[in-house]
């Protein structure tokens, strides 16, 4: 069986992953979700011409003064009258500009004695200065964000300013994570010779903790076909993640267990390093991701497939991780037919790859700030060359 490229595998995974249902969510709980419909403004912002400064509002033609101060306009307490020739109104930031006026004189350039006002500086250079016009930020009916946009803190504020108290979003994605292997023990438990602490489950749950996902840990499953099959059949989730057991050894039972539980395999094995024995399939309505057991392989494949899959099912318009080009600070050898993801960090004004890239070395991964992407058959690279990276949080 030929190996799939990373891009082809991602495309096939997303094509087989339907978006989860839409629900209405209060703004207070919507951060990090993806919009299921465009965000449409329900009002103008601002809803009237407002002062951008503390000072006096007047007619620009009367700037030379003197002017008579006839009242005050504050935020929430507008001046009810009209500003006529030779008149001014004391105004504060955010207050409505009264009818008849067209310019703000900032208070630092104004001299006032009683109700008489004089220019005490250069003043505004043109009519209309320091006024925020109605609809300057957005107008009623405007599309502010498209469907598929993620609700950042700023986007939450925008939605509130646009008149929304709740939004249509995709519900949270249910993710079940199971580790497989007779050699594994829970984190913190005593470890005998030949045993390993199960580190991948907690690591992957943390990797998607910022996404709208509810994680159900299935614990450690033994290397027995009947146990894996029963666990598959009993799991209710949108995404079922298994860690380990997806390779070609005698104890790699994820594929036969998935099929025995009524599931199907879409693809298996990717032209990437680390992470070649990645498996993807279906089990009822759930998408199944079988990740490699080596921790760095599990982390890299989860970064490239699990995180984007959660985002895609939760409604993201662009679920793939962002790549960017940076300068290399140390040489890299030519690459073979697989796409490499090298742990690296910043040094001497560029990125360098760790000298050892063994896929079991978590200490190197924890130190890394990026993954350096080396395309298949990439030639040797020297310091100063440009390379692509994926930033790690």
């Amino acid at each position: 069986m030929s190996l799939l490229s990373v891009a082809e595998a991602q495309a096939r995974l997303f094509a087989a992953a339907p978006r989860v249902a839409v629900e209405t969510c209060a703004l207070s709980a919507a951060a990090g979700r993806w919009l299921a419909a465009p965000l449409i403004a329900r009002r103008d912002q601002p809803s009237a011409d407002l002062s951008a400064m503390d000072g006096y509002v007047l007619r620009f033609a009367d700037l030379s003064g003197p002017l008579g101060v006839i009242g005050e306009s504050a935020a929430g307490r507008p001046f009810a009258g009209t500003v006529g020739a030779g008149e001014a109104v004391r105004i504060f930031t955010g207050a409505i500009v009264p009818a008849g006026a067209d310019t703000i004189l900032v208070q630092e350039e104004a001299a006032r004695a009683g109700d008489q006002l004089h220019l005490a500086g250069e003043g505004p250079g043109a009519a209309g200065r320091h006024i925020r016009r109605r609809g300057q930020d957005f107008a009623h009916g405007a599309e502010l964000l498209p469907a598929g946009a993620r609700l950042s803190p700023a986007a939450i504020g925008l939605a509130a300013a646009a008149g929304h108290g709740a939004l249509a979003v995709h519900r949270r994605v249910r993710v079940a994570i199971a580790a497989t292997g007779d050699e594994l023990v829970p984190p913190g438990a005593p470890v005998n010779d030949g045993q390993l602490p199960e580190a991948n489950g907690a690591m992957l749950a943390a990797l998607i903790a910022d996404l709208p996902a509810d994680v159900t840990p299935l614990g450690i499953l033994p290397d027995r076909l009947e146990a894996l099959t029963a666990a598959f059949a009993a799991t209710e989730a949108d995404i079922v993640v298994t860690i380990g057991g997806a390779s070609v050894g005698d104890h790699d039972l994820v594929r036969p267990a998935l099929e025995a539980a009524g599931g199907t395999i879409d693809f298996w094995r990717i032209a990437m390093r680390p992470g070649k024995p990645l498996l993807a399939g279906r089990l009822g309505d759930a998408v199944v991701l079988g990740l490699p057991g080596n921790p760095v392989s599990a982390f890299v494949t989860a970064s490239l497939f699990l995180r984007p899959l959660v985002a895609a099912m939760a409604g993201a318009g662009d679920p793939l991780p962002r790549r960017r080009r940076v300068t290399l600070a140390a040489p890299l050898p030519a690459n073979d037919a697989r796409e490499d993801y090298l742990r690296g960090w910043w040094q001497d004004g560029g990125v360098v790859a760790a000298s050892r890239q063994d896929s079991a070395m978590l200490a190197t991964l924890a130190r890394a700030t990026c993954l350096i992407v080396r395309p298949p058959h990439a030639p040797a690279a020297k310091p100063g060359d440009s390379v692509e990276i994926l930033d790690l949080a």
Side-chain angles (χ1 to χ4, degrees):
M1 179 186 297
S2 61
L3 303 183
L4 289 179
S5 70
V6 171
E8 183 180 357
Q10 287 171 327
R12 286 176 60 167
L13 182 65
F14 299 155
R19 290 183 171 176
V20 295
V22 175
E23 64 183 13
T24 300
C25 183
L27 289 186
S28 59
R33 303 283 195 102
W34 279 274
L35 284 170
L39 177 64
I40 306 298
R42 292 178 172 175
R43 55 182 296 277
D44 294 335
Q45 175 67 12
S47 57
D49 290 353
L50 303 180
S51 177
M53 304 288 286
D54 292 341
Y56 296 86
V57 61
L58 44 83
R59 305 194 314 175
F60 183 75
D62 298 335
L63 183 61
S64 59
L67 301 110
V69 178
I70 60 171
E72 179 180 287
S73 184
R77 293 184 288 107
F79 177 73
T82 299
V83 177
E87 295 177 335
V89 166
R90 180 77 166 111
I91 198 165
F92 300 93
T93 302
I96 292 177
V97 173
D102 60 14
T103 303
I104 306 296
L105 173 65
V106 298
Q107 64 184 23
E108 293 84 356
E109 296 185 335
R112 180 175 176 178
D115 289 336
Q116 290 295 302
L117 182 70
H118 299 269
L119 179 66
E122 294 183 0
R129 293 294 304 277
H130 309 306
I131 294 177
R132 296 170 179 152
R133 296 298 179 186
R134 177 173 182 167
Q136 176 178 302
D137 193 2
F138 53 79
H140 183 277
E143 180 177 315
L144 304 179
L145 292 172
R150 195 173 189 193
L151 289 167
S152 65
I156 294 292
L158 175 63
H164 294 269
L167 295 169
V169 298
H170 293 272
R171 67 164 174 79
R172 296 175 67 85
V173 180
R174 299 169 301 161
V175 181
I177 300 178
T180 67
D182 292 335
E183 76 280 14
L184 300 177
V185 298
V191 179
N192 300 323
D193 290 343
Q195 294 182 320
L196 290 171
E198 200 293 288
N200 287 327
M203 177 176 67
L204 298 190
L207 185 64
I208 61 173
D210 64 313
L211 301 180
D214 293 325
V215 175
T216 299
L218 300 182
I220 300 169
L221 303 181
D223 288 325
R224 292 194 298 277
L225 181 62
E226 63 276 13
L228 291 172
T229 302
F232 275 135
T235 300
E236 294 184 2
D238 302 304
I239 302 171
V240 178
V241 181
T242 63
I243 310 163
S247 192
V248 294
D250 292 343
H251 299 284
D252 292 316
L253 301 174
V254 167
R255 287 184 297 141
L258 174 61
E259 292 172 332
T264 58
I265 295 170
D266 181 25
F267 60 84
W268 174 54
R269 301 202 305 169
I270 312 298
M272 64 182 292
R273 184 175 33 241
K276 175 182 172 183
L278 175 80
L279 177 149
R282 299 281 300 187
L283 181 63
D285 294 330
V287 178
V288 178
L289 268 182
L291 306 184
N294 275 323
V296 178
S297 300
F299 181 91
V300 172
T301 52
S303 297
L304 292 170
F305 292 93
L306 175 57
R307 271 188 65 90
L309 177 61
V310 171
M313 294 182 73
D318 181 13
L320 290 175
R322 297 284 180 87
R323 300 185 179 194
R324 63 189 181 104
R325 299 202 72 87
V326 299
T327 301
L328 191 63
L332 290 175
N335 198 18
D336 61 14
R338 285 196 277 169
E339 186 161 280
D340 271 3
Y341 292 84
L342 307 174
R343 284 154 284 169
W345 44 78
W346 289 91
Q347 180 177 300
D348 300 328
V351 293
V352 299
S355 58
R356 299 181 65 184
Q357 293 287 331
D358 188 293
S359 59
M361 296 176 63
L362 267 173
T364 306
L365 177 62
R367 181 186 173 193
T369 59
C370 66
L371 296 174
I372 302 171
V373 184
R374 298 286 285 153
H377 306 296
K382 61 184 183 301
D385 286 350
S386 174
V387 293
E388 274 193 333
I389 66 167
L390 294 173
D391 288 304
L392 299 179

